[in-house]
Amino acid sequence: MRAVLPGKPQAKLQAVCVGQWHNQRLIAYISGNAVVILSAADAILQTIYHKEGEELEAIALDESTGKFAACTKSTVYVYKPYGKEDGALKWSLQCSFTPEDDGVSTLSWGFTEELLIGGSKLALFSMNQSQRSIWSIQLANPVKFANFSYDSSLISSTGWHDRLVKIWRRLGSGEDDDSRFDFTYLSHPTTITGMHWRRPFHRDQTIDNVLYTICADNILRIWAATDPHGLQVLQQWAQIDLQESIKPRLSNLAAASTRRFAFVIDSREFGLGTQRAIESAKDSDKQEGGLEHLIEIANRSPEICVALDDEGRMSAWGLENVGCKARKTTNLFNVAHFEGLKLHFAHGAQDELRNVQFYNFCGEGAGEKFTILAHHFDGRIEWLETDISELFDPSPRQDRLIRKAIWSGHASSIKKIVRTASGRALVSRTSDNEGLVWKQTATKHGTRIIRQSQLTVPEHIHRTCVLQEGDYVAFLHYGAITLWDTRDHLGAQLAYCSYEIEGKPLALILLPEVEQTARIAHVATISSEMKGIVWEISLPPQLTTNGSSGLHGSSTLLREFSRFDLGMKDDLAFVLPVDPAGPTTTISGFMDTFARDVAISYTNAGVLRAWTAKVDRDKEIVRWLLTSTVETGIMNPSLASGTSIRKSALVDANRTGLTIWDLRGAQLEYEDDFHAQDVIQDLDWTSTPDDQSILAVGFPHRVVLMSQLRYDYLNAGPAWAKIREIRIKEMTPHPIGDSIWLGGGNFVIGAGNQLFIYEKTVDVADKFVTDLRLPTHQRITTDLFSLVTRLNGSLPVFHPQFLAQAILSGKSVLVQKILIGLHRKLKFFSEGDELDGFVGIQTEDFYRPIEDIPNPAKKEMHSSYADFDDEEVDSFNEDLASSLTEKLTHVAIPQLSSPEQIHLADIIECVATVEKHRRSMDDNATRYLLFFRQHMLRRSQGATSQINISWREIVWAFHSNSQDILVDLVSRNFHGKMLWEHAKESGMFMWMRDLTALRNQFEVIARNQYTATDEKNPIDCSLYYFALKKKNVLVGLWRMAGWNREQRSTQKLLANNFKEARWKTAALKNAYALLGKHRFEYAAAFFLLADCLKDAVNVCSNQMNDLQLAIAIARIYEGDDGPVLRELLEEKVLVEAAKEGNRWMATWAFWMLNRRDVAVRALISPVYTLLDTPETPGTQSKLFLADDPALVVLYKQLREKTLQTLKGASKISGRMEWDFIIHNARLYDRMGCDLLALDLVRNWEFLKPVPARKKSIEAAPDPRMVLRRRSSLVVDDLQSPTLNELRSAVATKKQAPTVFEEPESSSLLDSFGF
């Protein structure tokens, strides 16, 4: 945590207490109804809240027990410490009681846990176990000050506006009510304004009591027991005239301030401060005058009286041997006098708010500074640090005091926080319409937010908009909008404008400007009826904040600009402004979907819409444009938030389910359901300078920060991850009211009346960061934006994901070139060196056509001297792969994490394996083999939980013409003992097209299933042999299964002719009996025996949940044109593909159904739109993983393969293909493969538009007309017309008009196949 704003301190005389307990510095103050306990400037230990509406009056610390006492006017609360031994110091309520006094205002601790309570009376209680009244006396005047001396023998008290100080002397102490006091008066000429008892070096030390009093006459008086036989307990020892101590220069006498402040530095604190100054000073510094002067003073062990005025002048006086009976003139001496002290007094505030109380202490630890706390009654506590030698240095200095922190905030609970677009200013407001404007500033101690202005608004604040980096604020009320000037410490209303609108106003939106004008702004509200009003705010160049300027309440500053109606009001749930992502609110002059969003709306049906707007000042209108619409399917969302770069988060009705959407691509990127007790109550967006999104998800007592990740389609990796968790329950029990991002990545949380500022530093040892497995490079912390950029951003070209996508894109030559370049770079690489992300390859090589890239596998011509150069390797082979893999095991590449480096080694091994068989395989077989090998390697390493290879790899193998060698290589991978689980893992029976080879391989599976176990059970292979219709083989196997108790009955049954109805019925009865026993595979076998293929397929797909087995059996049993397979593909495979949005599965199914035109369209269009009976897509179909940039590679390959695919491609509109290409380029970019995105958009060839048919009777155009370059390899797979179709065409021609029409040349050429 960078800083804390613990809340606004009460403007009370005893609102702050400072002390030390068990070597622990404790500072506590009261803020509204809360007690705030801290140990350092930014270290809050605990916040204790009391009942709402009960403001606290005073607080006191017992340094002997660590107990705190706090009080309202009628109730006293005592808190005792616990957990000190465990390092988790907290306080719990010991007791609370109501004394017989309704005006309690002071508290003071004495010895043996005595608590003095002052109000309309003085009362003494013992708090040892439970409260017990010891002594009480009624007073004539309510108490203003009442304090024990440090030996608890005396009490000093005075009333409001009183000039007499009563000194109560303890006469005795009994068990019950025997404590008695007498008193004497210390007379003063005017009202008492302050009192201070001298502090001993430690609590048990016995010293003479000394009392310091300050009066309204600006004189500090010192009282001591100089005459033990006198009538008074204390006598005046000396006095210091504070007015005369500080004299301004002669030229400033007339304008000099008469206000004076004073505080006393006890000898103990001064001695510790001197000791710390000497310890921290360098040897050379000890010769400086400031330190020598300090040592000289400290040798006299004085108390120091410090006098100040509110213009930065200070005078310090030393008091030596205070209380000695014979005072010398040298006992009172001047220590320092200087000007230019920066204490930030509240000039211009009301008199009661200009009061300041000072507290001072010095820590006992080495290196600790002397600290001064300044309690400003306008609602601030300043933490000022100094080296005491610098504070009292007689030479001129500018940096005597360093402000380390300001404790401020609200007096009641924070309800809402709103920021500017840049995040450099924000406004926090409470439920009672108090607002504070904060400015973010950068100091050498880090980022701070400083209170700039306070606003007290008479009307209910409905919405807030911050303008001009916090200099102005607009408030939307019900029926009016107001503008406030917030440049001064007290905000002032500038303008007021009433309005009427249909429906309830939902949002106040700052509209982007075409021209960045510092004096003009436009804000809009949108109502629940989707109607809106725009106001123009004109800020004059010079504005003053006093009422005499004539600008306050001026309607010329705020006027209604225009009204609009967006429509689409049906079922509207809410409209809200987006969180800005980027520093500016200006836009280009164009109004299109590329403009940044300004608002989002969502309906009860879960429809998200994003809006942008453009102000036309000439026509005085605002144009609105709907930029995106997403049907999320989330009913009655409870919360939503969007960002101007098209990201949105949505929370379900239970407030536990979170979804993150990419509005540009209508993609679901993340879905999570948190625990029931974790109710989501806030969503806040920010982004890095390169537009990488970060989302803060707020819960009652914690905030989870989430970062977007690169898309990873090959490993189905998540698109978002948690990177940090902020918990505040240890510091405050109050739930979070709101949170907001500051500019630069700092985060602000408002809880109760407090603000917590968290810096953007992230600990790399945090569990969320370690789960991401990033390379740490021995760093302890990292910047939040740097971390998010590392998780996103462009990948080095040797990254495993880039290499895999390049292989899918058909750039195997480029991949080999990258690996050769990496090998060269690593040859002389050592830890700590920089590694070029391009490994020396020119950028142009990544988007050059494939045929233009020289193939490193081919030996190039060299001179005869080249053979002697063994440093350069110009071809990729197994030796180079082995060398490179070996290097990766010893060298840590800075751009890769350990898992990524292992993955890279796997890819290198796979590329080498594929290169070995390249001459006998086509590109699709290469793609399949590479990712199959990679899948098997990662399975063996336990790096993936995916059991089967994906449908993407199945489709590559399905469209390969090298399936024979693929079957051989896959079989070898399983050592020739392929079982069904292995075949299913490889997807073999989905991608093999040759039915004869398919049946042969299925018989191999059947034999292996039989021999898989030592007992060789025929049941294990029954399903496979029945699918192959080889019952006789199975009968032979049963003859050898004498050990099986089912042998006799099964042999007897199989001996029958199952073409007869009675034996089919018997087989069916056995099948149903086996279903009842949950022996599903054996039941499916008997269904096949009964020639009920459909039932067997249903058992495999439904009961066994094995869709691949169902398809394989159908293909083996009846071929690829059978009705059962068709029904299975149409009603099961395509339906599942539509629900999941699995386009790979869909294109395979359509191709199997011989609907190749639709198979091509399925790569672009949503699957559910292509079904004969449209299926409602599930949430999974909207997931980003439903897309895959490799689809564009397959689309380009298939569309030119046959006339059917060309026909299907011709039905895809140019706009749809354009959107498809741009969308996939964005996917490449999100994956970190920017160079592949560039290659895609640079080299893509669009099909020519289909020529319109001039007449309805004209034959459909040849699909090859859409090709820009004719290919002779397009297969004609269109069905020939039937005899009836030909007769119909002839009849149509006879009815055609007799007017001759000249044919087009293109149609003539097409007739000849050109």
Side-chain angles (χ1 to χ4, degrees), residues 250 430 795 811 914 1026 1258:
L250 293 176
T430 63
L795 293 170
K811 296 181 176 294
V914 168
F1026 283 147
E1258 186 177 336

Side-chain angles (χ1 to χ4, degrees), residues 315-390:
S315 178
W317 295 84
L319 306 172
E320 184 181 7
N321 295 328
V322 178
C324 63
K325 295 179 177 59
R327 184 173 73 86
K328 301 176 182 179
T329 55
T330 56
N331 291 148
L332 181 62
F333 58 93
N334 185 261
V335 174
H337 185 93
F338 49 80
E339 298 181 357
L341 202 65
K342 297 177 182 179
L343 280 173
H344 309 92
F345 290 96
H347 297 283
Q350 300 174 5
D351 283 346
E352 60 269 20
L353 298 181
R354 294 179 65 186
N355 189 21
V356 183
Q357 283 185 320
F358 293 91
Y359 306 83
N360 62 88
F361 57 88
C362 185
E364 296 184 358
E368 294 196 30
K369 297 284 189 178
F370 184 78
T371 302
I372 298 173
L373 295 181
H375 173 207
H376 299 263
F377 276 40
D378 65 345
R380 296 173 290 136
I381 296 177
E382 284 188 289
W383 179 296
L384 303 164
E385 284 191 351
T386 182
D387 190 312
I388 206 165
S389 63
E390 297 174 355

Side-chain angles (χ1 to χ4, degrees), residues 698-854:
F699 299 91
H701 297 282
R702 66 187 180 107
V703 177
V704 175
L705 305 186
M706 304 186 66
S707 167
Q708 71 175 45
L709 305 178
R710 297 185 190 94
Y711 284 168
D712 185 358
Y713 289 99
L714 299 178
N715 303 309
W720 287 81
K722 301 171 185 175
I723 56 174
R724 188 180 181 186
E725 185 177 60
I726 301 172
R727 292 183 176 269
I728 67 164
K729 203 162 188 177
E730 293 182 356
M731 294 176 289
T732 174
H734 203 289
I736 296 172
D738 198 9
S739 56
I740 203 78
W741 288 98
L742 288 175
N746 297 293
F747 192 66
V748 178
I749 294 177
N753 60 341
Q754 300 174 327
L755 289 171
F756 301 93
I757 300 95
Y758 290 86
E759 59 188 352
K760 58 184 178 180
T761 302
V762 178
D763 185 0
V764 297
D766 187 275
K767 64 174 183 176
F768 295 115
V769 181
T770 54
D771 289 345
L772 298 172
R773 298 183 178 182
L774 290 173
T776 58
H777 303 300
Q778 288 77 45
R779 289 183 299 174
I780 300 174
T781 60
T782 185
D783 179 75
L784 177 66
F785 283 180
S786 300
L787 174 64
V788 174
T789 300
R790 172 68 181 84
L791 293 171
N792 295 275
S794 298
L795 293 170
V797 297
F798 50 79
H799 192 280
Q801 173 148 295
F802 187 93
L803 294 175
Q805 291 298 328
I807 291 167
L808 288 175
S809 300
K811 296 181 176 294
S812 55
V813 174
L814 178 64
V815 169
Q816 294 179 28
K817 191 172 183 180
I818 291 171
L819 295 179
I820 292 171
L822 179 62
H823 182 264
R824 290 196 187 107
K825 293 291 182 182
L826 291 181
K827 186 169 290 187
F828 304 105
F829 180 83
S830 60
E831 296 286 345
D833 292 350
E834 292 291 331
L835 185 61
D836 177 20
F838 290 92
V839 293
I841 300 177
Q842 296 297 319
T843 310
E844 295 79 7
D845 288 348
F846 292 94
Y847 56 79
R848 255 199 287 177
I850 297 173
E851 56 271 13
D852 294 344
I853 303 176

Side-chain angles (χ1 to χ4, degrees), residues 1051-1096:
Q1051 277 186 303
K1052 185 177 180 182
L1053 179 65
L1054 293 180
N1056 299 295
N1057 184 6
F1058 286 91
K1059 293 182 180 179
E1060 298 177 9
R1062 58 177 294 219
W1063 295 115
K1064 285 186 178 181
T1065 304
L1068 284 175
K1069 288 180 180 179
N1070 279 278
Y1072 287 118
L1074 290 167
L1075 280 177
K1077 295 179 181 180
H1078 293 266
R1079 298 175 66 181
F1080 299 126
E1081 182 178 329
Y1082 206 27
F1086 273 91
F1087 276 124
L1088 290 178
L1089 185 61
D1091 198 24
C1092 293
L1093 174 61
K1094 184 176 179 180
D1095 294 326

Side-chain angles (χ1 to χ4, degrees), residues 188-414:
H188 294 72
T190 57
T191 304
I192 310 297
T193 59
M195 288 194 303
H196 172 77
W197 286 102
R198 180 167 67 170
R199 297 167 59 93
F201 273 87
H202 52 84
R203 187 80 179 177
D204 299 327
Q205 181 186 7
T206 302
I207 60 170
D208 293 333
N209 287 316
V210 176
L211 178 67
Y212 302 88
T213 61
I214 306 172
C215 281
D217 61 357
N218 283 333
I219 292 179
L220 182 142
R221 293 172 174 85
I222 302 103
W223 306 83
T226 57
D227 184 3
H229 304 292
L231 296 176
Q232 291 185 325
V233 179
L234 301 175
Q235 294 82 33
Q236 183 172 336
W237 183 77
Q239 68 179 33
I240 299 174
D241 191 333
L242 305 178
Q243 192 73 38
E244 293 297 322
S245 298
I246 300 175
K247 282 293 186 180
R249 300 179 188 276
L250 293 176
S251 59
N252 297 332
L253 284 176
S257 171
T258 60
R259 185 176 290 271
R260 295 292 182 268
F261 308 93
F263 64 94
V264 175
I265 303 176
D266 292 298
S267 180
R268 171 183 180 274
E269 306 299 340
F270 184 75
L272 281 173
T274 303
Q275 184 179 347
R276 296 288 89 79
I278 294 172
E279 290 173 356
S280 61
K282 298 178 180 178
D283 294 338
S284 58
D285 293 339
K286 290 186 178 179
Q287 306 303 320
E288 290 186 0
L291 192 58
E292 290 183 358
H293 176 64
L294 180 66
I295 295 171
E296 181 184 345
I297 296 170
N299 288 333
R300 303 172 69 174
S301 300
E303 271 82 29
I304 306 294
C305 172
V306 180
L308 310 99
D309 68 2
D310 55 1
E311 293 180 352
R313 287 180 284 268
M314 188 186 92
S315 178
W317 295 84
L319 306 172
E320 184 181 7
N321 295 328
V322 178
C324 63
K325 295 179 177 59
R327 184 173 73 86
K328 301 176 182 179
T329 55
T330 56
N331 291 148
L332 181 62
F333 58 93
N334 185 261
V335 174
H337 185 93
F338 49 80
E339 298 181 357
L341 202 65
K342 297 177 182 179
L343 280 173
H344 309 92
F345 290 96
H347 297 283
Q350 300 174 5
D351 283 346
E352 60 269 20
L353 298 181
R354 294 179 65 186
N355 189 21
V356 183
Q357 283 185 320
F358 293 91
Y359 306 83
N360 62 88
F361 57 88
C362 185
E364 296 184 358
E368 294 196 30
K369 297 284 189 178
F370 184 78
T371 302
I372 298 173
L373 295 181
H375 173 207
H376 299 263
F377 276 40
D378 65 345
R380 296 173 290 136
I381 296 177
E382 284 188 289
W383 179 296
L384 303 164
E385 284 191 351
T386 182
D387 190 312
I388 206 165
S389 63
E390 297 174 355
L391 178 64
F392 296 130
D393 188 354
S395 59
R397 300 182 71 101
Q398 294 294 324
D399 55 349
R400 296 181 188 273
L401 293 175
I402 298 173
R403 184 166 63 177
K404 192 172 182 181
I406 298 179
W407 296 339
S408 183
H410 291 275
S412 56
S413 297
I414 295 169

Side-chain angles (χ1 to χ4, degrees), residues 1130-1162:
E1130 291 176 345
E1131 297 184 3
K1132 186 72 176 179
V1133 177
L1134 286 176
V1135 169
E1136 185 175 333
K1139 288 180 178 179
E1140 297 177 0
N1142 192 333
R1143 299 183 183 182
W1144 298 100
M1145 183 192 292
T1147 188
W1148 174 86
F1150 280 124
W1151 198 280
M1152 288 291 295
L1153 290 168
N1154 203 27
R1155 298 175 62 186
R1156 298 179 180 179
D1157 54 339
V1158 187
V1160 172
R1161 292 167 58 194

Side-chain angles (χ1 to χ4, degrees), residues 4 6-7 27-31 34-38 44-49 56 59 68 753-754:
V4 59
I27 307 105
Y29 74 91
I30 53 176
S31 174
V35 173
V36 184
I37 306 172
L38 305 101
I44 185 168
L45 296 176
Q46 190 177 1
T47 305
I48 304 170
Y49 285 91
L56 297 173
I59 188 168
F68 281 103
N753 60 341
Q754 300 174 327

Side-chain angles (χ1 to χ4, degrees), residues 99 169 279 289 379 404 423 426 432 692 776 1030 1226 1257 1291:
R169 179 171 56 185
E279 290 173 356
K404 192 172 182 181
L426 56 90
D432 55 2
Q692 310 294 347
T776 58
K1030 294 188 176 183
R1226 288 197 188 103
I1257 61 172

